[in-house]
Amino acid sequence: MPKGIRSHLSASLLALGLGLMSAPGTLLADETSDQVVGWVEKVTVEPWGVEVKAKLDSGALTSSLDARDIKLFEKDDQEWVRFRLRLDDVGSEETLSVNLERPLYRDLTVRGAGGRDERPVVLLEVCVGDTRYEEQFSLRDREEMHYPMLLGRRTIGHLGLLSVKETFLTEASCDEDSPLIANVAEENDDKDRKKVRKEIEGDDDSEPDDD
């Protein structure tokens, strides 16, 4: 193969593998949206409107949320999850503490620096910008992490463009009339409910410079 053609082909495959770059430091996540989000954003957990800092991490597939006292149980012949949210609002400095029960969406095994960790996944709503998103969240105790919430590629793909250089580019401003982007079951979700899915969680050790 001529050298020029081989070089062009290699560059094309590299672009397909890494994702298209829309601008320096910005990754194309969803061609249907022109919203740009930073690698850290202030989002609200709905319907309570509590504002938390979330790290957007393309190294993780499924989003993760800080939860305590996680218990699995059966209800109406279905698997459910009982858990407690304890989230500090970064705006008001008040603390939300609420006990919740949600249907188990699927099981997840995550491989990270600390080894393997099995987690339940449930559906919860978050507000980014002026839109509500129903997303899959794995539940775990994130008290030792910098951020109570991590948004993975499943969620990033719904938001638009991810800037890997900037932070806090949006302002959460949702109410009951805000548009809701519902979770859409993926092809493998039914299989994932029957078997544990293995994922690799991204790093959570870095802090943004601005707040």
Side-chain angles (χ1 to χ4, degrees), residues 65-103:
L65 180 64
D66 183 22
R68 317 291 171 84
D69 305 326
I70 303 169
K71 305 285 186 183
L72 296 175
F73 68 100
E74 286 193 5
K75 180 177 179 180
D76 300 328
D77 296 324
Q78 301 291 328
E79 288 189 283
W80 282 60
V81 187
R82 181 182 293 116
F83 57 98
R84 179 169 61 92
L85 292 183
R86 189 184 185 283
L87 301 172
D88 295 326
D89 191 302
V90 297
S92 67
E93 298 185 353
E94 296 181 354
T95 298
L96 169 73
S97 182
V98 59
N99 294 314
L100 297 176
E101 294 181 355
R102 290 289 188 274

Side-chain angles (χ1 to χ4, degrees), residues 9-21:
L9 180 59
S10 298
S12 299
L13 291 174
L14 181 62
L16 288 173
L18 297 179
L20 296 176
M21 299 295 293

Side-chain angles (χ1 to χ4, degrees), residues 1 48 62 81 91 123 147 157 166 172 183:
M1 181 183 295
W48 306 277
T62 301
V81 187
L123 297 180
Y147 307 101
E166 300 181 86
N183 175 73

Side-chain angles (χ1 to χ4, degrees), residues 71-194:
K71 305 285 186 183
L72 296 175
F73 68 100
E74 286 193 5
K75 180 177 179 180
D76 300 328
D77 296 324
Q78 301 291 328
E79 288 189 283
W80 282 60
V81 187
R82 181 182 293 116
F83 57 98
R84 179 169 61 92
L85 292 183
R86 189 184 185 283
L87 301 172
D88 295 326
D89 191 302
V90 297
S92 67
E93 298 185 353
E94 296 181 354
T95 298
L96 169 73
S97 182
V98 59
N99 294 314
L100 297 176
E101 294 181 355
R102 290 289 188 274
L104 176 68
Y105 188 76
R106 61 185 176 91
D107 291 310
L108 176 66
T109 293
V110 175
R111 292 175 295 162
R116 295 179 55 175
D117 185 19
E118 295 188 5
R119 307 173 191 171
V121 176
V122 299
L123 297 180
L124 292 169
E125 285 186 22
V126 294
C127 169
V128 181
D130 59 359
T131 303
R132 295 175 295 147
Y133 299 86
E134 182 186 48
E135 297 294 332
Q136 299 181 35
F137 282 93
S138 68
L139 303 176
R140 64 165 298 191
D141 187 337
R142 297 180 59 86
E143 185 177 10
E144 302 301 322
M145 301 292 188
H146 287 307
Y147 307 101
M149 180 184 294
L150 182 146
L151 300 181
R153 294 193 304 276
R154 289 178 185 271
T155 300
I156 295 172
H158 301 154
L159 301 181
L161 302 174
L162 171 61
S163 172
V164 298
K165 292 184 177 181
E166 300 181 86
T167 58
F168 307 116
L169 299 181
T170 67
E171 181 177 351
S173 58
C174 294
D175 56 32
E176 60 182 11
D177 296 323
S178 298
L180 171 65
I181 307 300
N183 175 73
V184 177
E186 298 181 5
E187 182 178 352
N188 290 327
D189 281 351
D190 287 336
K191 297 179 181 179
D192 292 339
R193 292 188 181 96
K194 300 176 182 178

